[in-house]
Amino acid sequence: MSNREVVILSVGGVRFVTRASTLQQFPESKLARMLNDDDQEFKLVNGEFFVDRDGTLFTFIMDFLRTLQVSLPTDFSDYQRLQREAEFYGLYPLADLLSQEHLLKPRLEILEVRFSLQEMQAFFRIFGSCSTTVETLSEQITVFAGQQSGQSWNSPFPSQKPLVPLPLERPSHHDMVFQCGTDYSAGDQFVARYVSIKPDNRKLINGTNVLGLLLDTLLKDGFRLISTRTVSSEEKVECYSFERMRRPPGLTVRVSQTPGSSGAAQAKRSQAQKGK
């Protein structure tokens, strides 16, 4: 039985097809011993191993064996049940990771957009609880500046003169500041600032249009608008608050073969540090 390459399991009525080497990632586990007929919990029926356990949770067991990583859906809640399943199969490194439930649960991410109009200019300030998200968003947003003559700030078309990209202001890792519109310079000359937000290729000068595109970009990225309020009626500052559940970094088990251990598995925990 141990030399078969493809193994079929029926766990609680759910059928799984995998490689023997996948089940042998942890040689001391019940799944590895099953292939050598060393465990009576598994019955071989018509070429398939029958296991009277939860088939839905076994999906996560198989994902762990294939990737050596615990990465659960944001709406997952059966941590204790999955830990019991891992202990049943003798996958103690997985059970150990699942016992650290606080590291595996998704985290609530908050993002705030402040918007104000002052004459022919619009000002934006974005604050986010996750610095990685703010950094990614700053890479999507580009401000272009150029001089115009006798052109309304509401014009949807940029000047034919070359536009120069400007760096966004980053007061901290958690926020960014930028503006668009026109600013009176001298004579009939105006300094115009356009905003482009990837993947949209347009260069927009009207603050209301930029706000609409920014909010739409956040909604498509998985954020949910939870509130809209006026921070300052005198300065016409509007605040848009968003939230989303952010998947935590995967916890990984590294398996190494120790000389003289007959394939014993050693597990070490590691966690990505991004987004902290």
Side-chain angles (χ1 to χ4, degrees):
M1 192 70 64
S2 60
N3 59 1
R4 63 162 62 192
E5 292 185 6
V6 178
V7 181
I8 302 175
L9 302 95
S10 177
V11 184
V14 182
R15 195 167 182 263
F16 297 87
V17 181
T18 186
R19 298 173 63 93
S21 57
T22 301
L23 301 177
Q24 293 169 332
Q25 289 278 17
F26 298 89
E28 303 305 318
S29 70
K30 284 187 176 183
L31 292 169
R33 297 202 308 269
M34 171 192 73
L35 298 180
N36 297 319
D37 296 327
D38 289 340
D39 199 297
Q40 300 304 313
E41 294 279 358
F42 305 89
K43 305 296 182 182
L44 189 61
V45 180
N46 297 326
E48 299 183 11
F49 287 100
F50 174 76
V51 190
D52 190 18
R53 302 294 294 191
D54 190 306
T56 300
L57 291 178
F58 192 73
T59 299
F60 303 113
I61 300 287
M62 284 303 307
D63 182 66
F64 170 75
L65 290 174
R66 287 167 175 151
T67 65
L68 298 181
Q69 186 176 78
V70 183
S71 182
L72 301 172
T74 55
D75 59 350
F76 185 82
S77 59
D78 291 335
Y79 292 93
Q80 292 184 351
R81 289 182 59 211
L82 184 55
Q83 183 179 348
R84 287 199 301 269
E85 293 299 295
E87 291 171 348
F88 167 79
Y89 291 108
L91 296 171
Y92 297 108
L94 173 59
D96 183 36
L97 294 182
L98 290 168
S99 67
Q100 304 176 76
E101 188 175 327
H102 65 286
L103 296 178
L104 295 168
K105 283 186 174 180
R107 301 171 185 175
L108 183 63
E109 180 180 354
I110 302 296
L111 191 138
E112 182 181 275
V113 176
R114 293 200 174 199
F115 168 73
S116 65
L117 281 173
Q118 298 178 18
E119 296 181 352
M120 295 186 296
Q121 298 183 82
F123 298 86
F124 294 83
R125 182 161 195 155
I126 301 174
F127 173 84
S129 60
C130 176
S131 61
T132 303
T133 297
V134 177
E135 181 66 31
T136 301
L137 192 57
S138 69
E139 294 173 356
Q140 292 179 256
I141 299 174
T142 305
V143 177
F144 297 90
Q147 285 193 335
Q148 298 185 43
S149 176
Q151 190 172 10
S152 169
W153 84 296
N154 285 316
S155 172
F157 304 104
S159 169
Q160 296 301 315
K161 296 180 181 180
L163 297 177
V164 180
L166 299 177
L168 299 180
E169 293 183 46
R170 296 293 306 276
S172 75
H173 292 295
H174 289 272
D175 61 346
M176 72 178 79
V177 178
F178 61 93
Q179 67 187 83
C180 65
T182 56
D183 184 20
Y184 178 76
S185 177
D188 62 349
Q189 294 295 313
F190 291 83
V191 175
R193 291 182 177 87
Y194 298 84
V195 173
S196 175
I197 304 177
K198 296 177 181 178
D200 194 292
N201 294 320
R202 292 174 297 169
K203 294 181 177 65
L204 303 177
I205 194 171
N206 184 294
T208 303
N209 292 340
V210 174
L211 176 65
L213 178 58
L214 176 59
L215 300 186
D216 185 58
T217 300
L218 294 174
L219 293 173
K220 288 180 179 179
D221 197 32
F223 281 96
R224 182 172 68 94
L225 181 64
I226 56 175
S227 70
T228 302
R229 69 184 191 276
T230 300
V231 179
S232 171
S233 57
E234 294 181 358
E235 298 180 359
K236 299 181 180 179
V237 179
E238 300 174 0
C239 179
Y240 300 82
S241 298
F242 294 82
E243 69 175 18
R244 72 173 174 183
M245 297 303 292
R246 183 167 59 89
R247 185 188 300 274
L251 291 179
T252 303
V253 169
R254 295 173 183 164
V255 180
S256 60
Q257 302 298 324
T258 304
S261 65
S262 300
Q266 296 181 336
K268 294 184 179 180
R269 292 189 299 272
S270 65
Q271 183 179 23
Q273 296 299 317
K274 286 187 176 182
K276 288 198 167 187

